[in-house]
Amino acid sequence: MEVDEDEVVAEEVELPSVVYAAPFIEGMEEEGDAQAFVAVATIPDPVLSFLRNFQQAVLDRSVWELHGIYEGAFNKLTEKFYQKSSWPSPDAVAGVFTDEDPILLILYKELYYRHVYSKMQPSLDDRFNSYANYCDLFNYILYYSTEPSDLELPNQWLWDIIDEFIYQFQSFCQYRLKLSNKGDAELESLKERPDVWNVLNVLNVLYSLIQKSCINEQLSVSKNGGDMGAAAGDFGSRPLYRMLGYFSIIGLLRVHCLLGDYAMALKMMENVELSKKGLFARVTACHVTTYYYVGFAYMMMRRYTDAIKAFVNILLFLSRTKQYHTRSYQFEAISKKSEQMYALLAICVSLSPQRLDENVHTLLREKYGEHMNKMQKESEESLPVYEELFLFACPKFISPSLPRSDGSATAHAPTMHQLNVFLAEIRQQALVPTVRSYLKLYTTLPVTKLASFLELTPEQTRTELLAYKHKTRQRRWEGAGALLDGEPAGPADLDFAVRGKAGDMIHVQETKPGRRFGDWFIRHIGKFDETIAALERSGAVGKQ
């Protein structure tokens, strides 16, 4: 199902309102107070201290304090106390908070349910309650008052809110397709609540945040050399709204890719300048996500050169800043995404061979050299390799529609559909690598001779030559304008024309790029310095 951006209007889809319960029951005479106090008593002292500091930092709107609490204290306490269990329940924590500001419990629930998804297996109630809490959070930010909220959160947390919101939506779409392992009560609950994690509600949240923050208007003004603040308005001038709006653009890029609408995914990035260091670079996970989905969308649209540029750009960034990522709590996620991008890069380079950065090319050969050699062969041998790499590196696609009652749809069906579309494209250009290898050996070549090499008739060979021309001609983005823009161009290193009175002679023109001697010397000088430093540390040579 493709979702048209013009059909999703923020005012048309209402977010379900969730009534806030009182944070805790006052007085000792109420039934259940004893249970609440017992629950609080079981919370370890370091966690109680964390919760009180968390409350104070939120109420003081102290971004710096929240940054340390969010990225440091929360993860350390999780490792110490809650590796295999959930954090204290929101009901218990409500008894710890002494202020009635609803955002305190909403933010704690966001952390609580994210931990449940990360470390445990969420139940259906967890999925419903987490969705309700996200509705509370976005209602608070978007509609709590006619004035902008004074809430401030670290950029990393704001990105994680959008990222986790989409992840839980994706997880729920896959969960509800698994009908075989669900009981009647669970199936009935799913039927009664079609609004929970509904695709239109999810899109509405993201579009509403973009609209409220005026982020597209701000980016458009900035793109044309103006001042972003002039187009920000009351809401967009606040960091909370500006960053949530910006991250929602990246979120929509991801959602549309998960739905298989790659043109719409790239259209969402219309005002984002990848050629410059944008707001996405402030959070490494956002930076990686942006380039991963842009590159994947390009690949599925058969724009392999643009996909290669996107993957090489981010892989170079990750290799140069690797020492900083090892200290991040998201190191494993970033490393996995990096491995997936190397697999996608191997696919793209096999389909559209071209020169890469030396460092990236070396690592690519180490990881997928054997796979790339197999992908250069004819389809029967190469298809399983393409399939293996695609399934490893692609996102987990989703179906936005409700499952059929007959159970014919499965959680893997959307991914298998995208795989079949991709493999159909690969089959269409099965002979392209073989044709290319023969053309590189000649400057002129009779069609009949090439036909004998390919074991085809001359007519079939002309068809394959036409297919080669068509499949190697791609639209290319030149670094300016929208990501969907670009001019069609053939391969830069090899071109040919069929001439002669009978159209029976192939004239080949090959362009060999010059070697980059400077890069070679710089790389080996660096290796030499590393060797000398290692010898000095070992005492094998004396310091000069």
Side-chain angles (χ1 to χ4, degrees), residues 350-351 375-380 382-383 386 424-439 450-451 453-457 459-469 471-472 494 496:
S350 297
L351 294 171
M375 285 189 286
Q376 292 296 319
K377 298 178 181 178
E378 293 188 16
S379 61
E380 292 306 316
S382 64
L383 279 180
Y386 279 112
E425 177 64 35
I426 299 301
R427 290 188 184 95
Q428 291 177 14
Q429 46 185 306
L431 284 178
V432 167
T434 306
V435 171
R436 175 186 171 86
S437 65
Y438 285 126
L439 293 179
L450 180 60
F453 291 154
L454 299 175
E455 298 180 355
L456 300 173
T457 65
E459 289 73 18
Q460 290 172 325
T461 302
R462 288 189 178 89
T463 301
E464 291 299 331
L465 289 170
L466 186 60
Y468 179 94
K469 278 280 190 181
K471 294 301 181 182
T472 57
L494 184 70
F496 70 89

Side-chain angles (χ1 to χ4, degrees), residues 211-235:
Q211 181 182 351
K212 199 81 167 181
S213 64
C214 299
I215 188 63
N216 271 325
E217 292 81 356
Q218 293 186 62
L219 292 173
S220 179
V221 168
S222 175
K223 201 173 182 179
N224 294 314
D227 179 20
M228 289 179 67
D234 292 339
F235 286 86

Side-chain angles (χ1 to χ4, degrees), residues 36-45 48 82 88 92:
F37 277 104
V38 168
V40 172
T42 60
I43 300 176
D45 287 341
L48 283 173
Y82 305 111

Side-chain angles (χ1 to χ4, degrees), residues 82-87 112 114-123 126-127 167:
Y82 305 111
Q83 276 279 22
K84 297 181 180 180
S85 63
S86 63
W87 269 70
Y112 173 84
R114 194 194 313 172
H115 173 72
V116 169
Y117 271 83
S118 173
K119 301 291 185 180
M120 305 164 66
Q121 187 65 35
S123 65
D126 288 331
R127 296 175 190 273
Y167 166 73

Side-chain angles (χ1 to χ4, degrees), residues 63-128:
V63 177
W64 180 251
E65 290 292 332
L66 281 172
H67 178 82
I69 289 170
Y70 177 73
E71 293 203 29
F74 181 77
N75 293 300
K76 289 178 181 177
L77 290 172
T78 297
E79 290 177 7
K80 187 172 182 179
F81 296 106
Y82 305 111
Q83 276 279 22
K84 297 181 180 180
S85 63
S86 63
W87 269 70
S89 70
D91 290 338
V93 171
V96 178
F97 291 150
T98 56
D99 192 279
E100 296 188 8
D101 190 341
I103 195 61
L104 287 169
L105 204 55
I106 292 172
L107 290 175
Y108 176 76
K109 286 181 180 178
E110 200 276 329
L111 295 175
Y112 173 84
Y113 288 115
R114 194 194 313 172
H115 173 72
V116 169
Y117 271 83
S118 173
K119 301 291 185 180
M120 305 164 66
Q121 187 65 35
S123 65
L124 183 59
D125 284 343
D126 288 331
R127 296 175 190 273
F128 281 4

